[in-house]
Amino acid sequence: MSYQDEYQASIDNPEAFWAEKADQLDWYKPATNVLSTDEHGIQRWFADGELNTCHLALDYHVDNGRGDQTALIYDSPVTDQQKKYSYRELRDQVALCAGMLKNHGVEKGDRVVIYLPMIPEALISMLACARLGAVHSVVFGGFAPPELAVRLDDATPKVLLTASCGIEINRVIEYKPIVDAAIEMASHKPDTCVVLQRPQATASMQDGRDVDWQQALADASPADCVPVKGTDPLYVLYTSGTTGKPKGVVRENGGHAVALKYSMSAIYDIEPGDVYWAASDVGWVVGHSYIVYAPLLHGCTTILYEGKPIMTPDAGAFWRVISEHGVKALFTAPTAFRAIKKEDPEAKLAGQYDLSCLKTIFAAGERLDPPTYEWLSDNFRVPVLDHWWQTETGWAIAAPLHGLEPMPVKPGSSTMAVPGFNVQILDEAGNRLGPNEQGFIAVKLPLPPSCLTTIWGDVERFKENYLQTYPGYFTTGDGGYIDEDGYVFIMGRVDDVINVAGHRLSTGEMEEVVGKHPMVAECAVIGRRDELKGQMPMGFVVLKNAEGAKPDQVVDELVQLVRKDIGAVAAFKEALVVGRLPKTRSGKILRKTLRAMVDGDDYVVPSTIEDPAALDEIKALL
Ligand code: COA
Ligand code: AMP
């Protein structure tokens, strides 16, 4: 079917369209109620269907001839190890891990927080939760104790799974002190903390709460898959919003499995048995969807890579993994390619490997900038495909539908709306804009399967954040336009969210942390353009008692404070002490103007500015 026909069918009759896609999965009980409206007025997919995501990802394949096929390749340059798991081996390990969780009281609907580095146990424990119908919440390793504590309090897990350490290139990052500090800070204490001791560090254990992973496994017996409803939650993944409190995006079992399975063929042009690699981290949505769930739902081999694009050991690392494991499609964030390009501008290291297996390169997480696109296209001679999505959707909203038909791409665009997503550009008042007119990007309801239907424990916040701005539409938080050919161009966030090295962060949250410093009277944090990481946070601070203050010392303390409260991943390294912040007469800080000024873009000084000299003063400091 052509893209146009497929897309039109998805918009004209979403229920029939998704019912047909759902038929490709082995439900215990297929849904009769494909799209329904719940008691909060939210549309939900496959409410009365019954399935188990782990069954679909593992047991189904073992039962249908893929038992000996490699399901998972763990490739870890930082520990100099590689390990392969067949579908059968992975199913058995997951079943045992599920048994271990069960021994510690985890049942259907219970939450399990996973704070693990990129090791097989991360994927195994996610699937083990799915097997029990429990809800996992993975927290990225680069977050500091307060971030973990907020998530513990919100998700209220029975069990926390962790390891003694992660490895950042050659630095051992001890996880257990972070976990201990987070549990100390949190009001909610998990009953059990299961700790995997890695050879690089030994975690100290707390009697009565902590148990050794290997011992706990030895005490367990395999657990079976527990049927869940299509709308039962599979996981909660916290993501940054405008305020300091992260939002727990809830992913439902049914819609998630249907959409991800469909995406593997329609977007990624991947067949069961192919090797697919998302070079991301399980702590982010890309890792959830495309390291763990989608490749396994589709019967592929997935790769879990514990390393970096550069320095593990060099900028040829990605090309080595691709050639060694026969990767057909690579998916990563543009920042990773920019890092490689910086180290190896002529892609000489790639020349050392046979990359004939590689058929496509996918990028997401931030806009694929045209110079990086061109560098990839010139050096690798395979389609280089940008696609746009967010934690909220769990899969792409706009993409080249490469598996439906080869589509010409336009550098800077993430191509067309994906079937199911009725993407529209709206003005501030909610009127639809025409081709090439820039505005707020919204998706007309119903959203397709897999998209969030609530924020964990707070359906009102979900409605307020996403559904109330433009009734009948889901607001994406991104701005952009659609050209005359239907190509979607994402121009960036219209809120306080920034994207640093493909990591989504909130400047609002950083402002809350910076504002806690006793010397800070007020502050603003913006994302400034950065050649390597896309954006980097930059603070502007006004000090209390400016006389006698040591601005450099305060800035150093602020950098440490953000690192301590949010984590190294925030990459907050720069702040400027200023006399006053530019504001409108009603007191709103002119963040957009500040950003344009810092980036060296053209800007118009708003007529509502209270004191134009505040901008001049900052300009002189830059
Ligand atoms: N655990 C602990 N610390 C972590 C971490 C983790 N899982 N991930 C990152 N950090 C730390 C880094 O070590 C670094 O610490 P430092 O300030 O002490 O040096 C800090 O967080 C910032 O990390 P990062 O923004 O990743 O910068 P980097 O300079 O270490 O690496 C890239 C830059 C481009 C190589 C790296 O960001 C990358 O590979 N990005 C790929 C993008 C990606 O995976 N995105 C996920 C969504 S698709
Ligand atoms: P996350 O929820 O971490 O996946 O981040 C989602 C945000 O990243 C989106 O709202 C966009 O701002 C940005 N983003 C992701 N992919 C792209 C892309 N291909 N082009 C432009 N922006 C993107």
Side-chain angles (χ1 to χ4, degrees):
M1 200 186 258
S2 73
Y3 161 73
Q4 261 321 323
D5 291 344
E6 179 95 346
Y7 182 73
Q8 211 48 54
S10 78
I11 301 301
D12 292 346
N13 193 346
E15 283 186 76
F17 182 87
W18 291 111
E20 189 205 311
K21 306 301 173 205
D23 276 350
Q24 292 169 25
L25 295 174
D26 186 35
W27 296 77
Y28 298 134
K29 179 174 162 270
T32 51
N33 205 356
V34 175
L35 181 63
S36 52
T37 302
D38 69 12
E39 68 275 24
H40 304 291
I42 311 285
Q43 287 165 305
R44 314 276 294 264
W45 290 97
F46 311 112
D48 65 345
E50 280 182 22
L51 77 164
N52 180 284
T53 299
C54 180
H55 163 78
L56 299 178
L58 298 175
D59 304 59
Y60 171 80
H61 298 305
V62 176
D63 298 343
N64 286 276
R66 291 194 187 277
D68 296 327
Q69 181 195 311
T70 303
L72 168 68
I73 302 173
Y74 166 56
D75 184 306
S76 170
V78 296
T79 59
D80 202 18
Q81 276 187 85
Q82 283 192 19
K83 201 168 170 189
K84 291 187 179 172
Y85 298 75
S86 68
Y87 267 95
R88 184 172 295 103
E89 286 164 339
L90 192 59
R91 193 257 333 251
D92 291 347
Q93 298 233 4
V94 167
L96 195 61
C97 181
M100 166 181 103
L101 291 171
K102 218 171 145 181
N103 278 354
H104 289 283
V106 175
E107 290 172 11
K108 181 172 162 182
D110 288 338
R111 274 81 56 213
V112 174
V113 162
I114 300 176
Y115 189 72
L116 283 170
M118 285 286 285
I119 53 177
E121 286 76 7
L123 175 144
I124 288 170
S125 52
M126 289 163 79
L127 287 160
C129 291
R131 195 169 186 87
L132 297 177
V135 182
H136 61 70
S137 188
V138 181
V139 180
F140 178 61
F143 282 122
E147 289 286 326
L148 180 54
V150 168
R151 287 154 174 81
L152 290 175
D153 278 338
D154 199 70
T156 59
K158 250 188 194 164
V159 171
L160 187 152
L161 301 174
T162 191
S164 55
C165 66
I167 300 158
E168 281 292 292
I169 307 178
N170 49 15
R171 268 185 306 151
V172 173
I173 313 275
E174 292 205 30
Y175 274 28
K176 191 62 187 351
I178 299 174
V179 166
D180 288 341
I183 296 177
E184 181 71 34
M185 279 174 205
S187 313
H188 173 85
K189 320 279 180 200
D191 300 340
T192 312
C193 192
V194 186
V195 185
L196 182 84
Q197 298 284 9
R198 301 187 80 189
Q200 296 78 9
T202 304
S204 65
M205 305 289 273
Q206 187 174 307
D207 274 351
R209 185 196 71 194
D210 299 348
V211 297
D212 176 77
W213 191 297
Q214 299 305 349
Q215 188 56 51
L217 273 187
D219 295 340
S221 45
D224 281 339
C225 294
V226 174
V228 297
K229 293 275 185 230
T231 44
D232 280 339
L234 170 67
Y235 67 78
V236 179
L237 179 58
Y238 289 87
T239 191
S240 300
T242 349
T243 64
K245 189 170 185 248
K247 299 185 273 198
V249 167
V250 178
R251 189 85 57 225
E252 296 177 354
N253 277 276
H256 173 254
V258 172
L260 290 199
K261 167 95 176 118
Y262 171 65
S263 73
M264 286 304 278
S265 48
I267 298 178
Y268 299 100
D269 195 19
I270 285 289
E271 284 170 25
D274 286 341
V275 183
Y276 178 91
W277 181 27
S280 176
D281 189 290
V282 288
W284 304 102
V285 67
V286 174
H288 278 60
S289 294
Y290 291 104
I291 296 174
V292 182
Y293 288 108
L296 297 178
L297 286 165
H298 204 49
C300 298
T301 300
T302 187
I303 297 180
L304 187 89
Y305 173 70
E306 191 184 22
K308 297 270 175 181
I310 52 173
M311 293 188 287
T312 56
D314 58 26
F318 274 21
W319 320 126
R320 181 211 31 99
V321 172
I322 290 168
S323 81
E324 222 169 287
H325 305 306
V327 172
K328 187 173 172 193
L330 166 69
F331 173 3
T332 194
T335 188
F337 293 126
R338 289 196 297 270
I340 296 171
K341 180 178 156 206
K342 194 166 163 220
E343 297 275 305
D344 183 19
E346 287 160 34
K348 285 195 181 131
L349 291 167
Q352 297 177 1
Y353 299 97
D354 174 5
L355 298 178
S356 54
C357 54
L358 185 68
K359 300 297 176 219
T360 34
I361 295 177
F362 289 89
E366 49 168 327
R367 175 171 167 265
L368 177 61
D369 51 291
T372 306
Y373 166 80
E374 268 142 33
W375 182 79
L376 286 166
S377 302
D378 292 350
N379 285 298
F380 298 96
R381 310 213 163 274
V382 294
V384 176
L385 307 171
D386 185 11
H387 59 327
W388 165 59
W389 53 298
Q390 19 182 250
T391 307
E392 285 82 349
T393 61
W395 68 303
I397 312 166
L401 276 296
H402 200 63
L404 297 179
E405 65 177 68
M407 287 177 150
V409 299
K410 298 188 186 188
S413 165
S414 41
T415 312
M416 308 272 185
V418 166
F421 287 97
N422 189 346
V423 180
Q424 301 289 337
I425 310 294
L426 305 179
D427 69 11
E428 200 135 16
N431 303 307
R432 276 197 194 178
L433 294 174
N436 297 308
E437 287 185 298
Q438 202 167 312
F440 301 95
I441 312 185
V443 182
K444 195 167 183 301
L445 302 178
L447 290 167
S450 164
C451 301
L452 84 173
T453 53
T454 188
I455 288 174
W456 181 254
D458 200 347
V459 71
E460 288 309 318
R461 190 174 175 203
F462 167 64
K463 288 187 190 172
E464 203 180 300
N465 280 196
Y466 297 102
L467 303 180
Q468 279 168 4
T469 316
Y470 304 115
Y473 291 89
F474 166 83
T475 32
T476 65
D478 281 303
Y481 64 95
I482 300 179
D483 77 2
E484 61 287 355
D485 299 321
Y487 279 66
V488 179
F489 288 77
I490 310 300
M491 304 307 288
R493 298 287 304 191
V494 293
D495 54 15
D496 295 344
V497 168
I498 59 170
N499 213 301
V500 180
H503 306 138
R504 176 164 159 181
L505 299 161
S506 160
T507 53
E509 186 176 6
M510 291 187 212
E511 286 180 5
E512 282 178 26
V513 174
V514 170
K516 282 198 306 201
H517 190 286
M519 289 294 289
V520 171
E522 49 176 354
C523 69
V525 177
I526 58 151
R528 69 159 176 78
R529 205 175 290 141
D530 183 80
E531 224 176 87
L532 175 66
K533 295 193 178 186
Q535 283 183 302
M536 281 290 271
M538 178 176 184
F540 294 85
V541 289
V542 179
L543 299 186
K544 290 180 196 158
N545 293 328
E547 273 175 45
K550 296 196 180 107
D552 289 351
Q553 189 187 328
V554 175
V555 168
D556 284 349
E557 286 167 9
L558 293 176
V559 168
Q560 286 315 315
L561 197 61
V562 175
R563 200 179 170 89
K564 188 169 107 339
D565 273 18
I566 301 181
V569 68
F572 181 88
K573 301 204 160 142
E574 200 182 354
L576 209 57
V577 174
V578 297
R580 63 214 138 142
L581 293 172
K583 289 185 187 168
T584 61
R585 281 189 285 276
S586 59
K588 204 167 159 249
I589 299 170
L590 292 165
R591 293 183 176 79
K592 210 167 145 194
T593 315
L594 269 177
R595 202 166 58 218
M597 197 160 125
V598 170
D599 288 344
D601 291 345
D602 294 337
Y603 61 93
V604 181
V605 178
S607 57
T608 52
I609 191 165
E610 188 188 26
D611 178 6
L615 274 178
D616 298 335
E617 187 201 314
I618 292 175
K619 198 168 182 184
L621 287 172
L622 289 171

